[in-house]
Amino acid sequence: MKRALISVSDKTNIVEFAQALVKQRVEIISTGGTKKVLDEAGIPTISIEEVTGFPEMMDGRVKTLHPLIHGGLLGRRDLDSHLDAMKEHNIQPIDFVCVNLYPFKETISRTDVTPEEAIEQIDIGGPSMLRSAAKNFASVTVVVDTADYTKIIEELQTNGQTSLETRKALTAKVFRHTASYDALIADYLTELSGEDAESVTVTYNKKQSLRYGENSHQSAVFYEDPMASGFSIAKATQLHGKELSYNNIKDADAAIRMAREFDEPVAVAVKHMNPCGIGIGETIEEAFNRAYEADSISIFGGIVVLNREVSLAVAEKLHQIFLEIVIAPSFSKEAFDLLSFKKNIRLLELDFSKAAESGKEMVSVLGGLLIQDQDWIAESDKPEWKVVTETKPTDEQIKALSLNWKVVKHVKSNAIVVGNTTQTLGIGAGQMNRIGAAKIAIEQAEGQAEGAVLASDAFFPMDDSVEYAAKHGIKAIIQPGGSIKDQASIDKANEYGIAMVFTATRHFRH
C-alpha cells in the first residue's frame, strides 16, 4: 500500500483530497490539527508518532524531522543500495506529500505582530519535507498548492499514478514556493536588524499574464509583491473594462504616486508616466476642471486619478473624453453606470487611506537591479526651505510654489513645471538641458505664465532659465539649489524682481 504524508495549515479541500487518496488505496500519515480534521471526517490516519516512535515535542517544533520520515521521502526506488538501507532500518517509502507552510506572510502583515510571534511562524519541518520529496520527484508526488489537488486525483483515477511530467512541474512549484517563503523571512529579519544585506532575494506572486509588454513583440507578466502596500496599483480593484496592459500599469502607478501628494481634492491626468495636468479645488469636480484645462489636448487617451468619490457631475465630464483608465476611492452608482457604458474604459477603485505608506522601489538594469527608498517626503513640511532673493514670495506664491513643487518631483528629468495656486499650466519633461524644459513648460502655458510660478526638480547650472522665465512673466521660482553657479541665478532673479526659494532637496526622476 502506498503512503501519503499530509500536514497543512491551509485546509481548503483537504478532506476531499484525502478521501480521494484513500479510494486509491493510499495510507494517510498526518499531524496535529490536520490529523484532527481528517479524523473528524472519518478518514483513517496514522500519527507521526506511530511512524517515528518518537513523540511530538517543543510545542510542535520537533515532529517530522526524523530519518523514518525523510528516509521514506528521499530513498530512491531505482537504487538497490537505497532499498536495502530502507529495509534494514524499517523505513517505509512515502509516495505523496501534501504540505503547506505556517502562515508567516499573514502573521507579519498584522500591524500589531511582535518579532517573537513572527519567529514562531517560521516553518522548519514543512520546507524540509517539501524539499526532500521534491528532490525525489522521480518517485514522489509533492503538492503545495490546493489548486493542484484535482489534477493529481484525475491522474490517479485514470492511470493509477501521476505522470513524470506532472511530478516535475509540481517539484518546480515547490522550490519556487519555499524560495519565496524563505525570501520573506530573510527580508523581515534583515529589516529588523537594520543591515544593508550583502545579497537580496526578492519574491513576487503572479497576478496576471499580459497580452504583451511595452511593445507588441515583447512578452510580459504582472507580478505582485506579497507584502504590497494597500495603496498600490497591484491592490486596486478593477470594476470595469478590459485587462490592464503593461503600459497602463506603469502609467497608473505613476499617476497614483502623484495623487498621494495631496490631501485636498485633486485630479491628476497622466500620459506616458508624466503628468499632463494636475488641479486642486474645493470639490473634486472643480479639481478635475482645472486638471483638464491645464492640458485639454494631452489628456486624450490618458489616465485620470481622483482622490475623492466620482460623482455623476464628474462622470459626465469624464464621459466626454477618451480615457484609458479612471482611478478613484469609489464611484457613485450613477457615475459608474454612466462611465461603464463605454466597454473598454478601465474603472479602478483604490484605498486612498493608505496613501502615506512607503517602501522600497526596484528598477532593473542589464545585469543587475537598483533598489532605493521611494522619493516620498511630506512636502507640506518646509523646514529646509530658504528664500535666497531680495524679493520675498507672497503667501499666495508660497501656496503656488508648494503645489508645483509636489508635481515636479514626478516629472521625468530634466523637469520644469509652471503653474499657479490651483493647477499646472505647463510641463517640460525629460529634456537633455534645463533651459529646454523651461521653454517647453512656458510655451505650453500659452500666455498664462504672467504672474505664475516655476518649479525645477534640480538646480539651475546657469542663469539662462531664470532669465527666460523672467522675460515670460514668472514671478517666483522654487528649486533645490546646490549649483556652483547658484549666485548667478540669484543675481538674475534679483535683477528681474523674482522671488526664489531653495528647498535643499533634489527630485531627479530618471
Side-chain angles (χ1 to χ4, degrees):
M1 179 176 282
K2 291 187 175 182
R3 277 187 160 184
L5 195 160
I6 302 179
S7 179
V8 293
S9 59
D10 179 0
K11 296 176 176 58
T12 304
N13 297 330
I14 195 60
V15 170
E16 294 78 4
F17 182 63
Q19 287 171 334
L21 289 176
V22 170
K23 287 180 182 178
Q24 297 298 313
R25 295 181 54 77
V26 176
E27 195 173 46
I28 307 293
I29 304 168
S30 194
T31 67
T34 305
K35 185 177 189 306
K36 182 180 179 183
V37 168
L38 299 181
D39 288 347
E40 289 174 350
I43 299 170
T45 61
I46 302 169
S47 69
I48 282 289
E49 290 92 332
E50 291 178 74
V51 176
T52 64
F54 208 81
E56 240 184 75
M57 62 172 58
M58 301 177 185
D59 300 316
R61 284 190 173 199
V62 179
K63 55 187 173 186
T64 59
L65 298 169
H66 196 283
L68 291 176
I69 298 298
H70 286 271
L73 298 174
L74 286 164
R76 287 179 56 176
R77 314 316 197 247
D78 60 334
L79 287 182
D80 288 342
S81 59
H82 283 216
L83 294 173
D84 290 344
M86 293 171 76
K87 184 175 181 180
E88 179 183 353
H89 296 286
N90 197 29
I91 298 173
Q92 294 190 49
I94 298 172
D95 307 282
F96 300 88
V97 170
C98 179
V99 169
N100 48 58
L101 308 176
Y102 292 171
F104 183 80
K105 183 188 82 170
E106 293 77 6
T107 299
I108 63 172
S109 296
R110 290 178 14 227
T111 56
D112 62 342
V113 69
T114 64
E116 292 75 22
E117 290 173 313
I119 287 167
E120 284 308 307
Q121 293 303 318
I122 297 175
D123 201 329
I124 302 300
S128 299
M129 288 188 291
L130 287 172
R131 290 171 62 85
S132 292
K135 180 174 180 176
N136 203 19
F137 67 86
S139 302
V140 181
T141 301
V142 57
V143 56
V144 73
D145 186 350
T146 59
D148 292 319
Y149 292 169
T150 300
K151 181 177 178 61
I152 293 168
I153 294 305
E154 286 175 352
E155 290 195 10
L156 289 175
Q157 290 172 343
T158 303
N159 306 313
Q161 62 181 3
T162 55
S163 68
L164 180 60
E165 291 73 21
T166 294
R167 294 196 297 276
K168 283 181 178 178
L170 292 172
T171 287
K173 182 178 282 192
V174 161
F175 282 110
R176 291 196 300 270
H177 184 74
T178 56
S180 175
Y181 190 79
D182 284 342
L184 281 176
I185 295 169
D187 189 55
Y188 175 78
L189 294 176
T190 300
E191 190 172 331
L192 278 184
S193 71
E195 296 289 323
D196 284 335
E198 74 288 345
S199 65
V200 61
T201 302
V202 295
T203 182
Y204 288 83
N205 300 326
K206 183 177 178 181
K207 187 173 178 71
Q208 69 185 82
S209 296
L210 302 174
R211 285 173 294 155
Y212 53 83
E214 201 163 14
N215 298 288
S216 59
H217 59 275
Q218 297 169 268
S219 61
V221 181
F222 183 20
Y223 288 91
E224 177 183 359
D225 182 345
M227 301 303 294
S229 162
F231 188 77
S232 64
I233 192 60
K235 292 297 186 184
T237 300
Q238 185 165 348
L239 305 178
H240 175 75
K242 58 186 180 181
E243 284 189 347
L244 297 175
S245 70
Y246 178 95
N247 291 330
N248 287 157
I249 292 167
K250 292 194 73 175
D251 283 343
D253 175 67
I256 65 174
R257 288 171 185 252
M258 298 173 204
R260 77 172 177 177
E261 297 281 352
F262 299 88
D263 295 322
E264 62 269 52
V266 68
V268 174
V270 166
K271 282 287 284 293
H272 306 302
M273 296 183 68
N274 277 305
C276 56
I278 293 181
I280 60 174
E282 294 297 320
T283 66
I284 198 64
E285 184 178 3
E286 188 176 46
F288 175 74
N289 288 341
R290 288 169 174 161
Y292 176 77
E293 291 164 2
D295 191 343
S296 59
I297 296 174
S298 298
I299 195 174
F300 183 85
I303 290 173
V304 170
V305 176
L306 307 123
N307 66 350
R308 299 290 192 276
E309 180 175 83
V310 177
S311 64
L312 178 60
V314 175
E316 287 172 342
K317 297 175 185 293
L318 296 168
H319 186 65
Q320 296 172 27
I321 313 165
F322 167 59
L323 296 171
E324 291 277 1
I325 303 173
V326 178
I327 304 174
S330 59
F331 297 79
S332 73
K333 182 181 184 306
E334 296 80 8
F336 178 81
D337 289 344
L338 176 61
L339 292 172
S340 61
F341 183 77
K342 294 181 178 180
K343 66 177 183 179
N344 288 332
I345 191 172
R346 291 90 160 177
L347 304 178
L348 278 68
E349 275 189 353
L350 182 63
D351 183 359
F352 275 73
S353 70
K354 301 182 184 298
E357 294 181 4
S358 185
K360 302 287 185 181
E361 59 185 9
M362 292 175 280
V363 177
S364 63
V365 295
L366 290 177
L369 186 70
L370 294 169
I371 301 177
Q372 67 172 354
D373 295 331
Q374 291 179 15
D375 186 6
W376 176 237
I377 295 175
E379 298 293 356
S380 57
D381 299 331
K382 309 178 181 68
E384 304 300 324
W385 286 24
K386 181 181 178 182
V387 178
V388 294
T389 49
E390 296 166 359
T391 301
K392 309 304 179 187
T394 65
D395 290 345
E396 185 172 353
Q397 286 172 338
I398 286 291
K399 183 179 178 182
L401 291 170
S402 179
L403 184 154
N404 291 277
W405 181 243
K406 290 177 182 179
V407 175
V408 77
K409 69 188 286 190
H410 296 281
V411 180
K412 293 299 180 69
S413 301
N414 285 317
I416 296 288
V417 175
V418 171
N420 56 33
T421 58
T422 59
Q423 67 187 147
T424 57
L425 300 172
I427 297 171
Q431 298 306 299
M432 284 63 72
N433 58 71
R434 196 152 297 278
I435 183 63
K439 288 178 178 179
I440 291 171
I442 290 170
E443 180 183 350
Q444 194 183 62
E446 295 183 317
Q448 298 181 77
E450 183 66 42
V453 304
L454 180 148
S456 174
D457 64 334
F459 61 64
F460 295 122
M462 51 191 68
D463 64 8
D464 53 355
S465 295
V466 177
E467 183 165 32
Y468 189 85
K471 288 182 176 180
H472 288 82
I474 297 296
K475 297 303 181 185
I477 292 174
I478 187 167
Q479 57 131 321
S483 169
I484 59 172
K485 294 187 177 181
D486 273 347
Q487 192 58 50
S489 292
I490 294 169
D491 291 344
K492 188 63 66 174
N494 285 332
E495 180 183 335
Y496 285 96
I498 291 176
M500 184 180 288
V501 174
F502 281 7
T503 66
T505 303
R506 189 182 71 184
H507 284 305
F508 267 151
R509 187 161 186 80
H510 280 74

